[in-house]
Structures are given as C-alpha cells and as structure tokens.
Amino acid sequence: MCKYGLVNRIIPFSCVDGPGNRSAVFFQGCEFRCAYCHNPETQNLCTSCGVCVSQCPTKALTMGDKGVLWNSELCCSCDQCLNVCPSHSSPKARWMSVDDIFQELQGALPFITGITISGGECTQYHQFAAKLFDRAHELGKTAFCDTNGQLPFREMPELTAVMDMAMLDVKAWNDERHRELTGKSNRIVLDNLNYLSEIGKLYEVRTVIVPGLLNNEETVEQVSRHLAHYPEIRYKLIKYRPWGVRPPLEVQPPSDQYMEQLRTLACENGANEVVLT
Amino acid sequence: MTENMEAKVKEIMEDPKLTYPQRLIELAKAAENLPDPVALSEEAQWFVDRDIVFDMGEGNAPYRPRYVVPDYDKFMKQGSKFLMLDPPKDIWDAVSNLLILYRFVPSVIAGPVYVGHIDRLLDPFVKDEEEARHAIRLFLTHIDRTISDSFCHANIGPYDTRAGRIILELSAEMQRPVPNMSMIYNEHTPDDFAKKAIGTGLITAKPSFVNDAMYTADWGSNYAIVSCYNALPVGGGGLTLGRLNLKKLADVTESPEQLLNDLLPRAVAAQCEQMDKRDTYILENSHFLENTFLTEEGLIQKDRFVGMFGLVGLAECVNQVLHLTDPKERYGHGKQAEEFALEILERIHSQVEAYKPKYGKFALHGQVGISTDLGVTPNTRVPVGEEPPLPEHLLITAKTQKHFAAGIGELFPFEETAKKNPQAVLDIIKGAFAEGMRYFSFYSSNSDVIRVTGYLVKRSDIEKYDAGEACIGNSTVLGSGASKGLHIFERSVRSV
Ligand code: SF4
Ligand code: SF4
C-alpha cells in the first residue's frame, strides 16, 4: 500500500502549517479519538455503509462496486456527507499516488516553500510519506510532518531520515489525562518528543488549551522544562475553538488573559519562543 | 463664459464636501477644459465618441505633463539655484529641501505623483536614530496632510537601510494613506527587510512590491513607481495617459475575428493618434518644459518623457466577444479565454511598440479604473467576485502583466493570520515575480487603510465622506465611488 496514500484533502496555500507558504496534504485515518477533534471526518476509513449517498443534495455521491464514489465536479462542498457519516469518515477521501498529489499541486508549486503532511495522522502512511518527501526535495521544496506522535519515529527510519522537520502535538503530559482525551497512552508521544528534539528535527511543539477539560498548566510547565534544553524549538499554545467539534464540548474557549498567563508560565520554565494562536 | 460653465463653477464653489485646496483644483480643471479639445481625425473621433478611447479627462488643453518624475537624487547633490537652497548638510535640511521642492512639481494631481526614493535620499543623513525618526515623522506627516492625495508615491528599497526601516516603522504606526509606497524588490533585498515591509503592508496596505528585474529590463535601473503603480523614467515622466476601454470596444464588436483584425487595430491607432497630438500640444504649445527651473537645473529633460498607453476591461471584452457564460470557461478560468486574452495583448503591444510618436515613445499601462466605471474591470484583472483560487489567480495575473512596461498592478487581500507568518506572503511574492508578475499589492482584510484598485484610502474616511463630511484626502472621494462601482469591499480575501 505504500504506492498510495488516502488523502482527505489538499490545501494549496497555508500559512499556519510551518514556516513560509506551504501546501498541506491531509491524510485520512487516526488512532486517537480526541474529544476536541476539529476534523472528526479525518479519523476513520469509510465502511461503505452508504448513509451519505442519499443525503448528498447534488448527487455527487454514488455507490460503486468498491465503495462510495465522489464526483468532485458535482460537489458543492456543503459537507452534508461529513455531518451524517456515522463513522467519522469522509466519502471524499481519495487514494492518491505521489504523482497524483504533485499533479494537483502543480499550480501552487511556484509559490510555496514546502509541503506539510497532516491529518488524521500522517505517519499512518509513513512509507508513502517518505516517497512524497523525496519528490518534494527533488523539486526544491521542504518537507514537514504535522503529527500527534502516535507512532514512534524511531521505528519509521525512512520517513525520519527524509523529513526536514516535524511539528508535534503534546496534548497532555499526564498519561491518565491523555488516555481520557484521546483514548491512548502518551508514552510514544513523549518518546517522540525526546527523540525528535535530540536529532534536531523538531520545529515546533503544540498544545491545545482547553480550560476545564485538561490540566493545561501541568502540560505547559513540563513541555517548557523540556524545551529549556532546546531553545531552537518553538512552543505554540493554541486556543481551543469550538469549530468542527462533534459532538460539541461543554467548555468555553480560554480567555486571552489565561493564554497570556500560560505564556508567562512557559517562559518562566525555560521555553525560548512561545507563540499564541 | 457659457451658462454651462457658470453652473459648473458654482457647483464647485458650493460643494460642502470639498476642502479649499480641493476646490482650487476643481476650478482650475474647469478652466483648463474651456478650449476645444485637441482636434482628431474623423476615424479617431469615432472611437472617442463611443468612450472606447478616452483622454482620462486630463483637460482639453494640457498645460503640463500628467506625471513629472524629477531626479531628486540630483537635487540632493546640487541644491537649487532657483529655490535658493544649498545641498543639505543634515536630516533637517534634507527633509526641508524636499518639502520645498514638492511645491514646484506639477502633475495631474495638485502635488507631485512622485516624492522620490525616500530611503535612498534620506539615509545618508541618518546619524542619530531618534533624531532621524523625528525628522522623518514630520516629513511623512507633512506629505500626508499637505499633498493629501494617495496618487502621491514614495519608493523604497531594494537595499536594507536605516532610513528604510524607520520609514516602514513609522508608516505602520501612523496608518495614513499618503504617500502611497512601493518597495523595489530584487535579489539584493534581504528577506529580513522584505518581511518587515510585508509586516507593515499587512497593517497599512503599503508598500507594494515591485519586480525590479522586469522594470530594469524595460527602463534601466533609473525608473520610479509613481501615482498608483505607473513605472516611468526618472528625470522625465509621463506626458499623457490614454485609455482604451476594451469592454466598450467589445460592445461594438460582432466576432473575435472582427475584433482582432479590424476594430482593435483601428482603436489602437486612434488612441495613439490622440496621445501623440496631446503630447505634442504639451511640448509645443504649452511650453511647459521651457518654462520651469526643473529643466534648467537638469531635474527633468525632454527625452526622458514617454506616453502611457492605458487599457481597461480585458476581462469583459474576452467574456463578451467569446460569449462565455460558464464560470469554468470565463476569463480567469478557461483556457480559450486565456489564449484569446493573451492574443489581444500581444496585438496591442506590437502595434503600440511599432508606433513612432513625434516625442518620446509609448509604453503600455494597465489602467486602474476611474470612480465612475461600472462593470469595467481595471487593466487585465479578473473581475471581483470571479477570482479563481489564489495559485491560478497569481498565474493568470503574471501572464497578462508581461507587456506593461509603464506599470500594472493587482492586489491581494490576506486574512489576519498572515500577520504571524510574513514569510508566507514573501514566498508568494517571490513565486509571483519568478512567474513574471510585475507588481504585487496586498493588505489585510481588516485594516483601516486599504487599497482601492491602486491607491489607498482609510475605510473610516470613506464612511465619513459618504455621511456628508469633508475629508482631507482627494482619494476618499474616488474611493467612495469605487466602493460602489467596483465592489472593492467585496474582494475575495485570501486565507493562506
Ligand atoms: S460535500 Fe458531500 S454532501 Fe455536499 S455536495 Fe459534496 S459530496 Fe455531496
Ligand atoms: S463516508 Fe461515512 S457515511 Fe459515507 S459511506 Fe463511508 S462510512 Fe458511510
């Protein structure tokens, strides 16, 4: 399967997925089940249940022999299919080859500094991603992974070698809390934090701040202590925002004031560059 | 005085929305229009009568070039005998000398359309950082309040200088529309300086970026960006600007072949004739050049003046003549539309280039529109509301800007998020320039100072003007018109 990756969508220009202007490729599928997931439609592979087909207002979806077929020409991007999907999947995900992806990025290439793969969880397709990154380098573009660290980079040598940098989510420092939030332990995530820092391939660590749900201070404090040894790695604190979250969470986005407090906490604990967003 | 004229003069004098200087300009314009227009052949007049060829309302008896672009660098070195000014010795002399000279630089607006490569002019006098900042703040404030016209244009770059940085910082802080500003950008411009300019641009819609390599190929390195985004030789300028309205030409066209083989060449010839005659009038009848110390002191010279062949409405022309209604096929999207558009531009370019006017030469200019335009998109732009996704939009823009040596520009509003990543905007600019785009304007969708087609206005000023109050900037009046006719506030905002 390493000739193809299942792509949820491609954004030709993004200024929030690493340095400079980048194209972002979102893969389908993730092992975490975060309560605050902003793209729940990227979590699972389609089960071909057919529920979305009848709900599409423009008849862009049909049931074929091998599953749902999506006609992009007819699609009006209403996202009704995503809302009704019982499996947190998308009928619009496409199996794409490296050629397919760069074909689609053709028009964007002159204007981007690199590509970033995201998800879902991009490392689910690590062998494919390594090939994608080789091609990016041939074209003079940089290659970044936006990952939640659920798979060990130590065990994905091709991808780790070829990628320029990773941006890693550390969602919760406390393992119990991490399990509650994502359904999985954070043992591998924290090992990735160490490993990627040591080999100089960590561009940024990210934590989503959710008051009332997570122990934000603990995570910020611990990550910052780690980053004190790596001043070149920046720490991005992201405000929880309710958009796209299904089912909605019973929590409020953090105040600017609280975000500032956390920034101060991060700096006091040694993080060199802290970005709020 | 005809009755009409009397009514016109009264109307100007009684308009409560015009400030005193604005009133003076309007009165002078009314007087300039008293003589009959420069006589044209019957053939050319046919196109003029249908508004296909237009003299931009520059005045029936042009008594000065439209854009005068003095050699300010020379002025800084030599001072001025006529103005009794010695060459400046410190930053205060420097800004004072320049502000004095500006009063004597005529243009189609009341003041100068070009105030110099101001970083290069002032940088030699930056000794103490704080003192320089103080002087430059006064300088910029003075320009904003007294010239108060967004067609007044300053240039900075390509090199990183202390003066350049101070100018960028003050512009971001002051958030005033005047002077308009361009950053000359080439391979010598450090990323760091370019990013600072982008940061300023996302706050206050200036500077725009200039593809120096392309303009240097057209004019040599001694050119300037003036008015909205005209590119003209320093030490001369632009005599007149004619405007070919391709949308109006399409209105009288029956087939693509008729356009390319008959109407277009005739319309181009008509506009060349009008420009040639008006240029000749300026030089031979109104004797502007012989009657100014600017010539005597070598700040301008006759052979550095050119004529600007402007055009608008390419998009409408292509859609209309090819009968394109499907959004996927229309200009900015379809292959056939693009090929036809490029063919039109190729034809215009070769005919204009081959034309030998009595004085100087003609270069293509992508006219930015006038406030009364309705349903005519400036230059070669894709109409507001029909823009393709940003990568394709950049590519079609670059392709259609190729021949416009006398300047052309397109503008791109970005979302607030771009402020955190100026490198992203720089990547886009670098890519666009490598693809052949000449000029790149941008602003952040929620800034108060925004760009209206080519010049800057304060959103809050337009609101005041529309509510019936007088405003200091002339461009507010234009902006108010453009906000209605061109839907400028509805431009597609780019999220990157
Ligand atoms: S988003 Fe989904 S439901 Fe909506 S038109 Fe497209 S395929 Fe159909
Ligand atoms: S996308 Fe969801 S709803 Fe549609 S067929 Fe697949 S699993 Fe069923």
Side-chain angles (χ1 to χ4, degrees):
Chain A
M1 252 329 166
C2 65
K3 278 207 176 112
Y4 295 91
L6 186 58
V7 175
N8 176 279
R9 74 196 148 116
I10 295 179
I11 296 182
F13 285 4
S14 166
C15 73
V16 293
D17 290 290
N21 190 35
R22 318 185 68 78
S23 294
V25 180
F26 294 83
F27 287 97
Q28 184 76 26
C30 177
E31 285 177 19
F32 286 177
R33 290 292 168 271
C34 302
Y36 61 54
C37 179
H38 290 82
N39 313 97
E41 75 280 1
T42 61
Q43 286 179 358
N44 293 313
L45 303 198
C46 170
T47 62
S48 303
C49 71
V51 168
C52 57
V53 174
S54 62
Q55 300 290 316
C56 172
T58 62
K59 306 224 176 332
L61 301 175
T62 47
M63 189 52 86
D65 296 344
K66 292 191 189 136
V68 192
L69 297 169
W70 172 58
N71 183 338
S72 65
E73 295 272 308
L74 294 178
C75 176
C76 67
S77 304
C78 68
D79 286 353
Q80 177 65 7
C81 48
L82 309 183
N83 292 325
V84 300
C85 174
S87 308
H88 281 174
S89 184
S90 165
K92 297 188 276 183
R94 294 167 291 162
W95 285 102
M96 296 177 85
S97 67
V98 170
D99 284 344
D100 295 337
I101 291 175
F102 278 99
Q103 179 61 35
E104 195 154 317
L105 289 179
Q106 190 68 31
L109 285 177
F111 311 104
I112 57 169
T113 204
I115 65 168
T116 296
I117 56 171
S118 183
E121 173 50 36
C122 58
T123 54
Q124 296 273 336
Y125 302 86
H126 60 93
Q127 286 172 323
F128 175 76
K131 297 203 170 101
L132 187 72
F133 280 4
D134 273 334
R135 178 72 62 83
H137 284 148
E138 281 164 24
L139 295 167
K141 306 295 171 190
T142 59
F144 278 50
C145 277
D146 171 6
T147 174
N148 58 34
Q150 61 189 232
L151 297 177
F153 276 84
R154 291 180 201 275
E155 292 168 26
M156 301 181 284
E158 293 108 328
L159 176 62
T160 309
V162 71
M163 78 177 178
D164 291 299
M165 285 282 182
M167 294 169 286
L168 176 70
D169 291 353
V170 177
K171 293 166 187 284
W173 193 267
N174 179 294
D175 195 36
E176 200 47 44
R177 290 298 179 94
H178 197 273
R179 284 170 196 272
E180 281 166 27
L181 176 74
T182 67
K184 298 266 175 190
S185 159
N186 68 4
R187 196 180 45 79
I188 298 173
V189 177
L190 296 186
D191 183 53
N192 277 328
L193 175 65
N194 284 326
Y195 177 59
L196 293 171
S197 306
E198 274 163 27
I199 63 172
K201 290 217 171 185
L202 193 52
Y203 174 74
E204 172 180 287
V205 180
R206 301 156 159 192
T207 298
V208 177
I209 305 301
V210 199
L213 187 76
L214 297 169
N215 191 346
N216 304 294
E217 285 88 356
E218 182 192 26
T219 304
V220 170
E221 193 175 299
Q222 294 298 327
V223 170
S224 306
R225 286 183 186 170
H226 169 83
L227 294 181
H229 305 285
Y230 303 98
E232 68 284 1
I233 304 175
R234 64 179 202 169
Y235 192 16
K236 189 188 256 181
L237 303 178
I238 304 172
K239 251 187 186 181
Y240 163 75
R241 294 175 177 90
W243 306 312
V245 180
R246 279 179 292 142
L249 284 181
E250 298 282 311
V251 295
Q252 293 300 314
S255 65
D256 288 342
Q257 195 195 359
Y258 184 55
M259 295 299 289
E260 282 302 336
Q261 278 170 21
L262 291 176
R263 185 215 293 270
T264 309
L265 182 70
C267 294
E268 282 168 3
N269 281 282
N272 181 36
E273 189 189 351
V274 182
V275 192
L276 301 184
T277 175
Chain B
M1 193 185 287
T2 64
E3 239 174 74
N4 243 347
M5 184 64 186
E6 193 175 328
K8 173 96 200 140
V9 167
K10 271 199 177 144
E11 191 191 312
I12 295 168
M13 293 195 308
E14 289 165 10
D15 187 342
K17 286 197 207 173
L18 296 178
T19 63
Y20 178 71
Q22 287 162 352
R23 218 164 276 207
L24 274 184
I25 300 165
E26 291 301 318
L27 286 172
K29 204 183 276 170
E32 188 187 357
N33 280 332
L34 264 183
D36 286 332
V38 177
L40 297 177
S41 69
E42 220 175 283
E43 162 84 358
Q45 193 60 43
W46 190 87
F47 289 96
V48 171
D49 290 343
R50 280 157 190 76
D51 288 338
I52 294 166
V53 167
F54 177 46
D55 65 7
M56 293 299 292
E58 279 172 359
N60 290 348
Y63 56 92
R64 36 84 185 101
R66 181 180 180 89
Y67 299 140
V68 174
V69 184
D71 188 338
Y72 292 111
D73 299 85
K74 193 176 218 178
F75 167 73
M76 291 301 255
K77 268 183 225 117
Q78 68 192 21
S80 167
K81 230 186 218 131
F82 181 81
L83 296 174
M84 298 173 284
L85 295 170
D86 290 330
K89 292 191 190 65
D90 62 27
I91 187 91
W92 301 103
D93 291 344
V95 301
S96 170
N97 281 11
L98 285 169
L99 289 170
I100 291 169
L101 180 57
Y102 295 156
R103 301 279 298 179
F104 296 85
V105 178
S107 284
V108 72
I109 64 168
V113 289
Y114 167 64
V115 289
H117 287 64
I118 57 176
D119 55 349
R120 156 173 116 195
L121 295 173
L122 297 177
D123 199 59
F125 306 101
V126 176
K127 300 285 182 280
D128 175 77
E129 178 98 8
E130 278 324 298
E131 187 181 26
R133 189 176 297 272
H134 186 186
I136 295 174
R137 181 190 294 276
L138 292 183
F139 176 69
L140 293 174
T141 305
H142 193 109
I143 291 173
D144 178 59
R145 304 301 195 280
T146 62
I147 301 175
S148 41
D149 191 306
S150 301
F151 292 97
C152 162
H153 210 124
N155 290 210
I156 60 169
Y159 304 104
D160 185 354
T161 58
R162 283 202 292 170
R165 284 179 176 262
I166 293 173
I167 290 161
L168 288 172
E169 285 160 18
L170 289 172
S171 300
E173 199 181 297
M174 295 160 75
Q175 298 191 35
R176 292 298 309 170
V178 185
N180 199 343
M181 199 179 286
S182 286
M183 165 97 163
I184 311 289
Y185 181 84
N186 63 26
E187 79 273 15
H188 300 297
T189 313
D191 277 6
D192 187 43
F193 188 51
K195 281 193 267 186
K196 193 173 181 77
I198 289 167
T200 300
L202 290 172
I203 292 172
T204 192
K206 64 185 179 182
S208 299
F209 275 59
V210 183
N211 189 343
D212 185 47
M214 284 184 87
Y215 283 115
T216 298
D218 298 320
W219 302 113
S221 60
N222 203 13
Y223 70 92
I225 302 297
V226 318
S227 188
C228 49
Y229 45 62
N230 304 63
L232 291 168
V234 168
L239 288 166
T240 57
L241 170 60
R243 177 174 111 149
L244 178 60
N245 188 328
L246 291 166
K247 149 82 176 117
K248 295 245 160 124
L249 187 61
D251 288 344
V252 298
T253 299
E254 270 149 25
S255 70
E257 297 72 37
Q258 188 204 17
L259 180 79
L260 290 179
N261 301 329
D262 176 36
L263 286 169
L264 185 65
R266 283 169 54 207
V268 171
Q271 181 158 312
C272 287
E273 177 187 325
Q274 189 184 50
M275 289 170 60
D276 201 354
K277 287 185 170 158
R278 290 173 56 79
D279 288 1
T280 305
Y281 186 94
I282 295 172
L283 294 174
E284 292 183 0
N285 298 54
S286 64
H287 299 288
F288 169 76
L289 289 180
E290 295 90 316
N291 289 316
T292 168
F293 71 96
L294 297 174
T295 314
E296 259 160 52
E297 300 190 3
L299 303 185
I300 54 175
Q301 54 200 78
K302 202 177 199 168
D303 60 8
R304 299 280 292 166
F305 279 93
V306 299
M308 296 170 284
F309 187 102
L311 62 84
V312 289
L314 180 66
E316 285 78 14
C317 175
V318 167
N319 288 336
Q320 204 169 312
V321 172
L322 298 181
H323 306 290
L324 302 175
T325 48
D326 181 348
K328 289 196 184 83
E329 290 177 1
R330 282 167 71 81
Y331 181 73
H333 301 263
K335 196 83 212 140
Q336 191 202 2
E338 179 181 316
E339 280 165 10
F340 189 55
L342 294 177
E343 181 63 26
I344 292 174
L345 294 174
E346 240 8 273
R347 300 266 182 126
I348 297 175
H349 173 66
S350 52
Q351 192 179 343
V352 170
E353 194 153 75
Y355 186 88
K356 294 286 164 258
K358 186 159 183 197
Y359 294 102
K361 60 177 208 161
F362 293 166
L364 291 195
H365 171 69
Q367 208 270 322
V368 75
I370 52 177
S371 61
T372 48
D373 282 341
L374 251 185
V376 185
T377 303
N379 59 59
T380 66
R381 292 179 190 169
V382 179
V384 172
E386 289 191 39
E387 300 99 333
L390 188 49
E392 285 96 89
H393 192 186
L394 293 164
L395 286 170
I396 178 93
T397 306
K399 279 186 200 159
T400 58
Q401 291 193 346
K402 179 171 166 198
H403 292 309
F404 290 82
I408 188 166
E410 172 58 303
L411 54 164
F412 301 92
F414 286 97
E415 275 181 1
E416 187 73 4
T417 41
K419 284 185 187 165
K420 295 214 170 93
N421 189 352
Q423 179 69 47
V425 178
L426 183 57
D427 286 342
I428 292 175
I429 294 172
K430 283 184 184 178
F433 284 2
E435 293 296 318
M437 196 183 292
R438 285 182 176 272
Y439 194 75
F440 189 100
S441 295
F442 57 95
Y443 61 94
S444 160
S445 48
N446 51 359
S447 299
D448 188 28
V449 177
I450 62 161
R451 192 165 280 275
V452 176
T453 115
Y455 49 95
L456 300 161
V457 294
K458 263 181 108 66
R459 218 189 276 260
S460 45
D461 280 354
I462 291 194
E463 282 157 16
K464 269 195 236 161
Y465 178 80
D466 284 347
E469 289 175 44
C471 281
I472 192 164
N474 295 344
S475 307
T476 307
V477 185
L478 301 171
S480 166
S483 74
K484 296 175 189 106
L486 290 168
H487 311 283
I488 50 159
F489 292 142
E490 290 135 49
R491 279 186 161 272
S492 136
V493 174
R494 302 323 191 138
S495 58
V496 288

